[in-house]
Amino acid sequence: MFSGKMNYHDYLHIDKLLSCQVPESDKRGKTAHDEMLFIIVHQVYELWFKQILTEVNSVLEIFKSDHIDEKLMDLIVARLQRVVEIQKLLVDQVRIMETMTPLDFLEFRDMLIPASGFQSLQFRVLETKLGLKRENRLKYNQADYDQSLKPEQRPHMRTAEGETNLFERVEKWLERTPFLKMRGFDFWNIYKKTVEDSLIADLNIIQNNPALAGEDRKRNQTILEGSLASFRALFDEKAYAEARDAGEWRLSYKAIHAALLIQLYRDQPALQLPFRLITALMDVDEWFTTWRYRHALMAKRMLGSKVGTGGSSGFQYLKDATDKHKVFQDLFQLTTFFVPRSKIPVLPAEVQRELGFFYSRS
């Protein structure tokens, strides 16, 4: 089993790895010291994208099954948590990049045109595998995002778009959640009244708060009335379908109920792993949002109002993508309808007994 022939240098292909940094400024005889940093940071990004894709692909493979063993659920959560730890490194690398000043960057920036990080095939595939749809993407230079890729890469992108993504797999998994209907206990009507009472109480506070100016009162009232209408739609399948068609929600009617139930009763043993999964999905979405925003701030710091090297609007495009390119936004929106733990309906003893053990369909 131990041959004694394996060598660290050879195993990691160090010679090949260290020969991949070829600054454009060196080629032109105008060496810009910070270009090496720029290259290495972006190459490391691509390596981490490869690892994230490895984890996401493994999770997608497990989710193919119509019944997932609880041990595999724990593995899914562990791998998504690994993705989150990698994402933290992606954000930290922005700090390293910012040790390069704008003037340092300008020494070699024009040599990179029209190259752009937007042309990262791996990251576009990753976004797609997570669940970002073509129709939900911002246009890039007035064109579909894949037009910025090399022609030979576009079929690969189309293949990824044609595969079932993580959002869709999670949606189907949520739809299989038991306990959405509880015998002899009308949970949803009780919870609906509890949340409605809470939102209406908030409305009354706003309407009768003398400290609020007229415009502030009107704005807050509009927000709360919108939340109340959105919440009521969760219990009206037709209204929910209309809201979903309008882009207010993405998850199916049944899946959104399951996500709400899991988060409300996360302390029940049967729902602890599902809750950890939902939390991990929110963490992945949040950290990519954080990374995009930090990237946008760095672009503003380095370029001001200049266009990016790929010809986009630089900071503005990156900032808009931060808001637009979220995948699991529904899970964040549900928190609008949470109430204090003390107001959550107490489950019947029979249901609590069933939730005390991992549910099995066998």
Side-chain angles (χ1 to χ4, degrees), residues 51 80 95 105 136 171 173 183 199 208 212-213 243 279 323:
Q51 185 61 45
L80 288 176
R95 294 167 53 202
F105 182 43
N136 294 328
E171 181 179 57
W173 168 77
R183 294 185 304 275
L199 291 172
N208 298 307
L212 286 175
T279 300
D323 296 325

Side-chain angles (χ1 to χ4, degrees), residues 146-160:
D146 57 347
Q147 294 306 300
S148 297
L149 300 175
K150 297 167 72 173
E152 61 269 26
Q153 293 175 329
R154 293 170 197 164
H156 186 70
M157 204 64 249
R158 289 288 186 178
T159 298

Side-chain angles (χ1 to χ4, degrees), residues 95-312:
R95 294 167 53 202
I96 299 172
M97 185 79 83
E98 286 178 341
T99 63
M100 174 177 63
T101 70
L103 290 180
D104 294 329
F105 182 43
L106 290 174
E107 283 299 310
F108 63 91
R109 174 183 178 265
D110 289 351
M111 301 177 192
L112 309 183
I113 296 172
S116 167
F118 192 85
Q119 297 161 346
S120 169
L121 174 64
Q122 283 200 116
F123 190 67
R124 299 303 158 214
V125 169
L126 174 56
E127 289 177 316
T128 299
K129 284 181 177 288
L130 289 174
L132 183 60
K133 293 286 191 179
R134 177 179 291 263
E135 58 268 26
N136 294 328
R137 289 180 181 271
L138 289 174
K139 294 286 185 180
Y140 182 73
N141 292 337
Q142 307 305 312
D144 283 346
Y145 76 101
D146 57 347
Q147 294 306 300
S148 297
L149 300 175
K150 297 167 72 173
E152 61 269 26
Q153 293 175 329
R154 293 170 197 164
H156 186 70
M157 204 64 249
R158 289 288 186 178
T159 298
E161 287 182 331
E163 296 170 345
T164 305
N165 59 55
L166 184 59
F167 179 92
E168 292 164 340
R169 296 283 185 201
V170 168
E171 181 179 57
K172 294 301 181 187
W173 168 77
L174 284 169
E175 289 174 349
R176 298 194 298 269
T177 302
F179 310 110
L180 292 182
K181 291 184 179 179
M182 306 177 193
R183 294 185 304 275
F185 181 60
D186 195 354
F187 163 75
W188 293 111
N189 271 335
I190 297 172
Y191 187 71
K192 181 172 180 284
K193 185 177 186 310
T194 301
V195 176
E196 283 181 340
D197 288 348
S198 176
L199 291 172
I200 290 170
D202 287 345
L203 264 174
N204 290 332
I205 290 172
I206 288 171
Q207 291 166 350
N208 298 307
N209 188 346
L212 286 175
E215 284 302 313
D216 290 337
R217 180 180 291 110
K218 185 177 179 181
R219 183 179 63 253
N220 291 337
Q221 184 173 331
T222 299
I223 291 171
L224 267 174
E225 287 172 347
S227 295
L228 189 56
S230 182
F231 178 69
R232 285 170 174 161
L234 292 183
F235 304 92
D236 181 332
E237 199 158 355
K238 182 180 177 182
Y240 184 81
E242 292 173 355
R244 195 180 178 204
D245 289 342
E248 294 177 28
W249 300 95
R250 284 191 66 189
L251 287 169
S252 69
Y253 186 72
K254 193 172 182 180
I256 202 74
H257 281 206
L260 181 56
L261 182 78
I262 289 167
Q263 294 187 81
L264 291 175
Y265 294 104
R266 64 191 187 189
D267 294 333
Q268 297 294 334
L271 299 180
Q272 287 176 10
L273 265 176
F275 174 70
R276 286 174 57 204
L277 172 58
I278 285 176
T279 300
L281 292 170
M282 293 174 73
D283 286 344
V284 168
D285 223 4
E286 183 175 320
W287 276 102
F288 270 136
T289 298
T290 301
W291 181 65
R292 288 186 180 103
Y293 186 64
R294 285 291 284 116
H295 191 185
L297 289 179
M298 181 178 68
K300 186 72 170 178
R301 176 174 177 159
M302 293 292 179
L303 298 173
S305 298
K306 295 185 181 75
V307 296
T309 52
S312 75

